[in-house]
């Protein structure tokens, strides 16, 4: 295979599986894993993927780490803040109950060009901050609450963030601007 061929999502997922196994077996630290995973999903050609796993043993794609595909972040009767450098999932369920959940994706490693945020707050506040170049698709609803998805459409080369789910008796805010981290 030529190193200047465009990389497919399957190529990137195969490299992510090797990196996940290396993290699980102690060959990579969590910071090395996050850096390499970020480079994996930003790679445009197969040649850019080769150095990311050159020093690691190969694994089958069936061993892809679960946390890359699906995860749940919750806050129950309290406040949970997820920010900084962390590995998001392709499908993330955000489920605060009687609390506040704040999720900042601006520095997160996004596994692929599109991720889905299933927002299911109940009697809560859910604040999501997205990268400046993100394209947001809002497919959710609200029952007895407020839903504010703002910040424009982003640029053509940014990630696509699909917001789904229903906010019940809650406030849901998705923005690119400054977020009130203290929830005053």
């Amino acid at each position: 295979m030529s190193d200047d061929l465009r990389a497919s999502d399957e190529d990137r997922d195969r490299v992510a599986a090797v990196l996940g196994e290396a993290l699980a077996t102690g060959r990579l630290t969590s910071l090395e894993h996050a850096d390499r995973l970020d480079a994996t999903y930003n790679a445009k050609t197969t040649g850019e993927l080769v150095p990311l796993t050159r020093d690691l043993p190969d694994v089958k794609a069936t061993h892809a780490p679960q946390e890359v595909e699906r995860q749940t972040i919750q806050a129950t009767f309290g406040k949970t803040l997820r920010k900084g450098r962390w590995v998001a999932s392709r499908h993330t369920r955000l489920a605060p109950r009687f609390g506040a959940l704040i999720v900042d994706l601006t520095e997160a490693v996004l596994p692929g060009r599109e991720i889905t945020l299933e927002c299911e707050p109940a009697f809560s506040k859910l604040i999501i901050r997205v990268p400046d170049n993100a394209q947001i698709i809002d497919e959710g609803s609200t029952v007895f609450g407020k839903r504010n998805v703002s910040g424009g459409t982003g640029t053509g080369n940014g990630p696509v963030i699909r917001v789904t789910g229903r906010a019940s008796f809650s406030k849901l805010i998705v923005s690119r601007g400054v977020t009130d981290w203290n929830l005053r």
Side-chain angles (χ1 to χ4, degrees):
M1 182 182 329
S2 175
D3 286 350
D4 58 348
L5 287 176
R6 298 290 288 196
S8 68
D9 285 342
E10 185 178 332
D11 295 330
R12 291 182 196 93
D13 289 344
R14 193 172 18 259
V15 170
V18 173
L19 297 175
E21 184 68 21
L23 175 66
T25 58
R27 287 188 170 92
L28 291 176
T29 66
S30 59
L31 183 59
E32 290 171 319
H33 176 259
D35 288 342
R36 290 187 189 198
L37 193 61
D38 190 29
T40 298
Y41 287 110
N42 285 316
K44 293 192 181 358
T45 66
T46 56
E48 293 174 59
L49 294 172
V50 172
L52 299 174
T53 58
R54 184 173 284 140
D55 59 342
L56 301 171
D58 196 17
V59 297
K60 294 185 184 222
T62 57
H63 292 104
Q66 282 286 31
E67 68 273 11
V68 172
E69 294 301 320
R70 180 178 283 283
Q71 69 178 299
T72 299
I73 304 172
Q74 298 177 327
T76 305
F77 293 107
K79 180 168 94 173
T80 299
L81 173 62
R82 177 72 59 97
K83 70 176 188 172
R85 189 146 176 92
W86 61 283
V87 180
S89 298
R90 288 181 194 259
H91 186 99
T92 301
R93 183 171 175 264
L94 305 175
R97 300 286 185 259
F98 299 98
L101 177 58
I102 303 165
V103 177
D104 187 348
L105 295 171
T106 57
E107 295 179 37
V109 177
L110 302 178
R113 303 288 182 229
E114 180 174 331
I115 67 167
T116 299
L117 301 177
E118 180 185 347
C119 302
E120 297 287 339
F123 303 95
S124 300
K125 182 182 274 190
L126 174 56
I127 300 172
I128 304 166
R129 185 168 180 216
V130 300
D132 288 335
N133 63 348
Q135 299 175 27
I136 303 168
I137 300 171
D138 184 15
E139 298 177 335
S141 63
T142 303
V143 175
F144 295 110
K146 179 179 181 180
R147 186 181 194 96
N148 184 6
V149 178
S150 62
T153 59
T155 61
N157 63 351
V160 174
I161 299 175
R162 188 173 303 275
V163 181
T164 66
R166 181 174 69 189
S168 302
F169 300 94
S170 298
K171 184 176 190 176
L172 170 63
I173 300 169
V174 180
S175 71
R176 287 185 180 78
V178 176
T179 302
D180 183 3
W181 297 113
N182 296 319
L183 289 176
R184 292 176 228 179

